[in-house]
Amino acid sequence: MRAIERTTLETPVDGSRSPRAVSSSAMATATVAIPLDGLTITAPQPEMLSQKNVESVTGIPARVFLDTIRAPGFPLPVARLGKLRLVRREAFAAYLQALASDPAPRRAPAEDERTGVAAVLAAAGLEPVRQPRAGRASASS
């Protein structure tokens, strides 16, 4: 668009003979057709993730998101608004990155139980005593 400035001479209404210069500006407008495939519209990322927008932002299904934030030991603060659960997007992305870079070693449940029992005994000042494993009775020859 281009603005055009025009100056015209007008005779005053009061009857004097000296013309005055009056400037007026005209505005030209144009309509431009742009094909839809030529436009890219991007919205800013949301500050908070919820089960409603987590899949579109991170690709994680809502059920996996909810299971993750409800798991015991989830380190991030979770805001609760009715049934909606909100977590800061940047913190959640950092948490996922930490999980990907340092996977926790998987232990057998019996090993976790033994470790927990040993911790309780140690807190009481006791030590676990190993007992021989009871096996099948074998016939002596």
Side-chain angles (χ1 to χ4, degrees):
M1 288 190 280
R2 186 172 57 172
I4 302 170
E5 180 93 17
R6 261 189 229 160
T7 305
T8 58
L9 296 175
E10 290 184 2
T11 306
V13 180
D14 62 357
S16 66
R17 293 274 178 187
S18 61
R20 291 188 291 193
V22 176
S23 74
S24 65
S25 60
M27 184 67 76
T29 60
T31 303
V32 179
I34 300 173
L36 288 178
D37 60 350
L39 294 176
T40 302
I41 300 172
T42 56
Q45 293 287 331
E47 289 294 317
M48 303 293 280
L49 291 178
S50 72
Q51 62 266 36
K52 293 187 177 211
N53 68 0
V54 71
E55 191 162 5
S56 64
V57 174
T58 64
I60 296 173
R63 175 56 39 207
V64 173
F65 171 74
L66 289 173
D67 290 344
T68 302
I69 65 172
R70 289 178 180 154
F74 182 69
L76 303 176
V78 177
R80 292 174 174 84
L81 296 172
K83 292 184 177 183
L84 197 65
R85 301 294 182 256
L86 299 167
V87 178
R88 289 204 163 280
R89 177 182 49 85
E90 292 174 0
F92 189 72
Y95 171 72
L96 292 178
Q97 188 67 31
L99 285 179
S101 63
D102 187 27
R106 296 195 178 249
R107 295 188 295 189
E111 204 175 310
D112 286 340
E113 184 179 333
R114 274 187 251 131
T115 306
V117 170
V120 170
L121 289 174
L126 303 171
E127 292 181 10
V129 177
R130 291 221 174 246
Q131 294 186 355
R133 202 168 164 194
R136 290 186 176 168
S138 60
S140 58
S141 46

